[in-house]
Each structure stands twice: as structure tokens, then as C-alpha cells.
Amino acid sequence: MPPKVFIAKPVPQAVRDYVGKSCDYEMWNEQRPISRSELLDRISDIEGLMVTSLISRIDEELLAKAPKLRIISNISVGYDNFDLEVMKKRQVLGTNTPGVLSNTVADLALGLMLCSARRLSELDRFVKEGQWNSQISEAEFGYDVHHQTLGIIGMGSIGLEVARRAKNGFKMNILYFNRNRNNSAEEELDARYCDLPELLAQSDFVIVLAPLTKETKHLIGSNEFSLMKTSAIFFNISRGGTVDEEALISALRERKIAGAALDVFSHEPINKDNPLLQFPNVITVPHIGSATMTCRNEMAMLAAKNLVAGLKGENPPNLVKELL
Ligand code: GLV
């Protein structure tokens, strides 16, 4: 009997066909995201689950409802939804989709950098609202991006792609802070490894790309914002939880930094009354790092390959390192 699998979001036909060759699958086929309780109702006899880090936490409650589950294949690079201890205890494998999204997320990072430094969304509104009545004044000026210093917190494969674009395209000077040294970044791009306080103090643009873990929760808080230049622009493209959002709001109110661009938030979708939505110098986008059709399709296919390999008893290519 082929193993039963549940795919918790719609994926392309080619991905379904791939899974269908070795598994008996069902798929959530609504555009509305599946709720936690709907997910819990669908998993009692499955051996494999394809999900995203944003759909559901993989915890004791979920695993208890799916006693046959052998592998969770995230269609995302982040796996902060995995309760790694519980998965280890129950010997459930967990995989993610690194690599295939690095270029797409890095493109967004550069887009946000240009957009915030040159105030593109503010000034687009300025024109459309009929405020462009004479020559623009210094009030509409932005900041240069080229030749500025970019501080990257989290130099994995996305960080490296951001650094490449910044260095090769905009001649930026790269600083980075990471658990480990990144030789490619240092040799190829002359990136300089430094500690977090130094990176914060010296960077014109500070970008967080580190995954959310126990160690990185609220990595950036009021103390860190105080260390930044008042002209610095702050970016979060990792997970909302890496930043203390209240501290970010205070830093913006007190003009400790010049602006921010955010793809991720402490609560998603963002609450309509979140003060971050009130700042003209804050760009907000709805967690779109990997949101292009090509990239999402590649992620789904990679997740399917991980899933099928795990169910066949092979080593899935992207087993998360904590569960190796
Ligand atoms: C997106 O946020 C991902 O983790 O892939």
C-alpha cells in the first residue's frame, strides 16, 4: 500500500504527479489557508505531511493526532514551526527547501533597499496625490545606496546572494554577523566579519536574514536600535520574531533610525492597528520573500522530493540539521 500523504496547500500539477507516483495523497485545494483544526482533522492516518512554516506548528498535539507520521516536509526554508525536541523524540523527520529561493529573496532585499532609501513608495503617493506642483525640494530627497555600508545579520545562502548584489551591483561595503564565518563572502566579496554592536554602529543599512531560533528571538531590541546610526535603514526579511517589534516602533518614534522595510511581522497577517502601518518611512510588504511563481513552484517540487525520499527510507536531501 502506498503511504498516505497530506499536502496542506495547493501545489502545481507536476508536483502532485510526482508525489502521486509513490504516495496516496490528498491536498488542501482552497486558496484560503487551512486552519489548524482543519489540519488536525486530516492527518490521523498519514505518514507524510507537506506544509509551510506559516501554516502550522508541528508540536506534541499535532504529532499525537498523527501517530503514523514519519516525515514533515516544509515548503519553506524556515522551519521555526518545528518543535525539534518533540520531532526527535517521536523520530519524525523534518525537511526544508534551502537554496532554491536564495536569489528570489535576495532580489526582494535589494528592491526594499532601493525603495526605502530613495523613498519610492512615499514619492509615488506624492505624485499620485497631486503634490508635485513645482521642483521637488530637499524634503523629498532620499539616501544613496551605492558605496554605502550594508550590515548583514545571518550570512547563509540568502545573505551571500544579497551581498553579491550589493557588492557587484552597488559597490557597497559589506559587514556581516553570523554563527560561523563565511569564507565565500570574505574571499569573493571582501565582506568583513564583525560582532553585532560593531555591525550596528557602522552600517547604513542593516538587514536581518537569520532564521528564528531560541538564540535569535528578539535578537534586535531597544539596545540594538540605540547602537544604529540615526541615518540607518533597518530591514527584516527573516521572521518577525527575530525583532522586538515594540522596540522597533519606539526606535522609529524616537527617530533613532531613519526608516525600515519589513517583509515579516510578529503577527501575520499584520493587525490593522499595528503602529508600523502609520509611519511614512516604513515599507511593509506581506511576507513575499519567495513569492514568485517560478520560485514557489521550485520550492514545492523540492519539498515533494524531500517527502518522497523520506517515505522511501532514503536520506531526504534537505533534512534539517538538528534532526540529522
Ligand atoms: C519563507 O518565509 C520561507 O521560510 O521559505
Side-chain angles (χ1 to χ4, degrees), residues 153 177 196 200 208 210-225 228 234 236 238-249 264-267:
I153 300 169
F177 172 67
L196 190 54
L200 297 169
V208 182
L212 177 61
T213 62
K214 279 193 209 107
E215 291 74 37
T216 62
K217 182 157 169 62
H218 287 190
L219 180 66
I220 307 298
S222 58
N223 183 42
E224 287 67 32
F225 287 115
M228 292 182 203
F234 175 75
N236 190 3
S238 63
R239 285 290 182 273
T242 56
V243 176
D244 176 347
E245 207 166 88
E246 291 302 315
L248 170 60
I249 292 165
V264 290
F265 302 87
S266 60
H267 182 267

Side-chain angles (χ1 to χ4, degrees), residues 12-51:
Q13 190 61 48
V15 176
R16 288 181 233 173
D17 292 346
Y18 183 85
V19 173
K21 270 194 252 156
S22 1
C23 308
D24 176 7
Y25 77 88
E26 280 185 23
M27 183 181 78
W28 179 256
N29 204 11
E30 293 188 34
Q31 280 315 312
R32 161 183 85 77
I34 191 168
S35 68
R36 166 99 177 166
S37 61
E38 286 164 329
L39 178 63
L40 295 184
D41 283 347
R42 306 285 291 263
I43 58 177
S44 60
D45 58 350
I46 61 167
E47 292 181 55
L49 174 63
M50 255 169 87
V51 69

Side-chain angles (χ1 to χ4, degrees), residues 53 75-78 101 238-239 287 290 299:
S53 59
I75 316 172
S76 46
V77 66
L101 43 56
S238 63
R239 285 290 182 273
H287 203 142
S290 62
M299 289 166 73

Side-chain angles (χ1 to χ4, degrees), residues 7-282:
I7 305 174
K9 64 172 276 203
V11 295
Q13 190 61 48
V15 176
R16 288 181 233 173
D17 292 346
Y18 183 85
V19 173
K21 270 194 252 156
S22 1
C23 308
D24 176 7
Y25 77 88
E26 280 185 23
M27 183 181 78
W28 179 256
N29 204 11
E30 293 188 34
Q31 280 315 312
R32 161 183 85 77
I34 191 168
S35 68
R36 166 99 177 166
S37 61
E38 286 164 329
L39 178 63
L40 295 184
D41 283 347
R42 306 285 291 263
I43 58 177
S44 60
D45 58 350
I46 61 167
E47 292 181 55
L49 174 63
M50 255 169 87
V51 69
T52 79
S53 59
L54 303 178
I55 289 180
S56 189
R57 186 138 184 86
I58 307 300
D59 54 11
E60 181 63 50
E61 182 194 30
L62 184 144
L63 294 183
K65 290 233 185 308
K68 297 186 184 159
L69 201 50
R70 292 193 280 135
I71 179 164
I72 314 282
S73 170
N74 257 6
I75 316 172
S76 46
V77 66
Y79 51 94
D80 44 295
N81 58 323
F82 288 177
D83 183 331
L84 295 164
E85 286 311 307
V86 175
M87 287 172 68
K88 222 183 273 175
K89 195 178 78 194
R90 288 185 171 266
Q91 297 187 322
V92 174
L93 302 178
T95 59
N96 67 338
T97 58
V100 290
L101 43 56
S102 302
N103 279 300
T104 301
V105 178
D107 286 353
L108 178 76
L110 269 290
L112 289 177
M113 216 179 287
L114 290 170
C115 190
S116 51
R118 300 301 302 270
R119 302 171 57 196
L120 301 184
S121 35
E122 250 184 288
L123 294 174
D124 172 59
R125 217 170 306 133
F126 173 88
V127 175
K128 288 179 179 156
E129 287 173 355
Q131 296 180 57
W132 187 23
N133 297 319
S134 59
Q135 290 277 55
I136 62 152
S137 71
E138 286 180 15
E140 283 79 50
F141 286 6
Y143 294 93
D144 277 327
V145 171
H146 68 88
H147 293 97
Q148 303 300 293
T149 296
L150 170 62
I152 298 179
I153 300 169
M155 185 61 96
S157 77
I158 299 174
L160 186 60
E161 287 304 332
V162 171
R164 284 189 173 131
R165 284 157 175 73
K167 181 75 177 184
N168 298 331
F170 296 90
K171 304 179 177 63
M172 295 178 90
N173 171 36
I174 313 290
L175 304 179
Y176 78 101
F177 172 67
N178 197 45
R179 263 178 314 204
N180 307 307
R181 299 287 282 261
N182 186 316
N183 292 335
S184 310
E186 293 187 22
E187 283 158 24
E188 180 189 324
L189 304 168
D190 213 15
R192 187 163 71 78
Y193 178 86
C194 55
D195 64 17
L196 190 54
E198 187 189 350
L199 177 146
L200 297 169
Q202 300 214 354
S203 298
D204 302 298
F205 299 91
V206 173
I207 180 165
V208 182
L209 292 166
L212 177 61
T213 62
K214 279 193 209 107
E215 291 74 37
T216 62
K217 182 157 169 62
H218 287 190
L219 180 66
I220 307 298
S222 58
N223 183 42
E224 287 67 32
F225 287 115
S226 305
L227 295 173
M228 292 182 203
K229 296 182 183 179
T230 52
S231 57
I233 302 181
F234 175 75
F235 303 84
N236 190 3
I237 310 190
S238 63
R239 285 290 182 273
T242 56
V243 176
D244 176 347
E245 207 166 88
E246 291 302 315
L248 170 60
I249 292 165
S250 303
L252 289 158
R253 283 200 179 118
E254 292 158 23
R255 298 187 182 281
K256 286 188 176 154
I257 57 174
L262 307 166
D263 185 38
V264 290
F265 302 87
S266 60
H267 182 267
E268 294 178 12
I270 191 170
N271 290 330
K272 309 252 177 317
D273 59 355
N274 189 317
L276 286 170
L277 300 176
Q278 303 303 321
F279 293 98
N281 54 342
V282 174

